[in-house]
Amino acid sequence: MPEQAPVLVVGAGPAGLTAAAELSRRGVPVRVVDKADAPSPLTKALMVWPRTLEVLRQLGGAEHLSAYGLPIDSFRYYSEARQICRIPFDARTQPSVVTQPDVEALLRASLEAAGGRVEWGTLLTGLEQDPDSVRATLRTADGGERTESFSYAIGADGAGSTVRKLLGLEFQGSTYPNVFILADTSVEGELQRDAVHYYQSSRGILVMVPLYNGRFRIFTAAPPTLRQEDLSDQVLQEYVDSRGPGGLRLHDVDWRTTFNIHARHTDRFGVGRVFVAGDAAHIHSPAGGQGLNTGVTDAHNLAWKLALVHAGRAVPELLDSYQDERTVVAAGVVRQAELQTRAWLLKKRWQVLLRDFSARQAQWSGLFDRYYSPWLAGLTNRYPAGPAVAGSQQRRGTFVNGCLVPELPVRAAGQPGTVRLRDVLPDDRYTLLLTGPAGASRPRSAAAEALLAEYPELLALRTVGPGGALVPAPGHDRWSRRATAVLVRPDHHVAAQDRGEDLGELRAHLAGVLTPAATVERHRSAASSTV
Ligand SMILES: Cc1cc2nc3c(=O)[nH]c(=O)nc-3n(C[C@H](O)[C@H](O)[C@H](O)COP(=O)(O)OP(=O)(O)OC[C@H]3O[C@@H](n4cnc5c(N)ncnc54)[C@H](O)[C@@H]3O)c2cc1C
């Protein structure tokens, strides 16, 4: 049965806003509360990777991203000011620097376009649940406190998450002893502005990231005794002089702060009707620039599932896959960030030599291009088998169960130019993609039509090949020659594949997840006859 009560989203940072905007545009009533009085102007996170860019574009942010984004051409690593390796990005893996307030503004605009808004100055203080609902206690700025009912709740309330604590989830991991320094500043001197520079030296790490307004973000490690009030312009200049390439002069520093780095994640991403997402579920060093990205993609993974379950169109077990899929991603991100942070902080000569040698080898052998850049870009997550990915894990081939649909160039019938297959698939429903020599055989077409009739509004059909809705770009059609039916989820990960003529495997997978239109209709009639 469809749920009536809204979903509560606690926290209007990147994760909460993504969840709220995604749910709202899918027709789910949402309440978003945040204890702050207004959006934070602090730049904080700034590296946005292709998978996140894709999600933000789907939320209507394409123009905003081209206005406020600065595409990054490469990461450059130095040891004692000599470049040891360079990781170049291509059209598929290229990140963009977009500061956190700009990402949040884009997401708030998307939420507002779907009819939602943030309730600022509203603090969540209590949370209880039973099998049918969630009750949340909210305190407003005037001191008023009320308890309200919701269908589900999402704790996107940051590293100190109240929701996580009220659920009793552990936040396992550790905190680095060092203090880290951030500053946004103008820089005079020779420094390439489309690259991120990592200066590693016996004096410590210095990272310099260009910002779209011609300035730079500086990030460096300091002794544990350093206090925020010690961060004068002169102290910052000394760090850059001693650790950087030399010849750089800082001026107009407009934000400076000290902070601690943690490496922690929860073992579960929710309990019952309450979920956690973003920093509430995982925090780590900014090495690799994944923080904001993982939060946005957590929320994106959860929202389409929750929207289907909320509307009574999918079984509640679909929500279990949120935890199964995202715990693996979060653990990987925390591990990678920790590895890189430790590598930055190495001081012993043999360790530094080994690190520098390994980095050169990885560049020379193409490891960075093949594995690291696509991973950073958020394109290589393979979700495990479960309610949202068919059990017969197919591990090879163009389409891999649990993985994103790859970047295949296609032409949409009747439209000029080549586009990526992923960009022309709907994101509000599953897609049944039929490939084969002549699109689809008669029995497969009939089986596909029967599935469409069973799940109208939840399933779209796209035939690939001559005469189909999509035609592979010339020279890129090998993948489409074999007769296969691929079931793609609304988030464009592959749910299942079927080479059979009757599409029996896909039918079984869908039956385990979605509620057919006829069943929904029966429930509706039964409900109206009892009124
Ligand atoms: C100083 C600093 C620098 C950073 N630099 C980087 C960087 O360079 N790269 C990077 O990737 N990441 C960086 N991060 C991390 C990045 O900012 C986070 O990963 C990102 O903000 C997480 O988004 P979120 O939506 O999960 O949580 P948040 O952005 O923390 O949002 C949580 C929201 O919940 C609200 N809230 C909390 N408790 C309650 C409650 N009980 N009731 C109601 N509302 C509540 C808060 O007011 C807040 O608005 C930095 C963080 C900090 C603090």
Side-chain angles (χ1 to χ4, degrees), residues 9-17 33-36 38 40 42-47 100 104 120 122-125 138 156-163 182 217 219 255 257-259 277-293 295-296:
V9 177
V10 187
L17 287 169
V33 299
D34 197 297
K35 67 178 181 182
S40 167
L42 302 179
T43 45
K44 296 193 280 189
L46 35 71
M47 195 64 66
Q100 191 162 334
E104 291 178 4
W120 296 106
T122 308
L123 174 78
L124 172 102
T125 57
L138 302 172
D157 48 346
S161 175
T162 306
V163 173
L182 287 184
R217 156 74 54 88
F219 169 92
W255 182 47
T257 187
T258 56
F259 68 110
D279 276 19
H282 41 74
I283 46 170
H284 51 80
S285 139
Q290 295 289 315
L292 175 149
N293 296 266
V296 166

Side-chain angles (χ1 to χ4, degrees), residues 264-283:
R264 297 179 187 275
H265 61 92
T266 54
D267 52 346
R268 299 165 71 192
F269 270 43
V271 176
R273 289 176 168 260
V274 184
F275 305 92
V276 285
D279 276 19
H282 41 74
I283 46 170

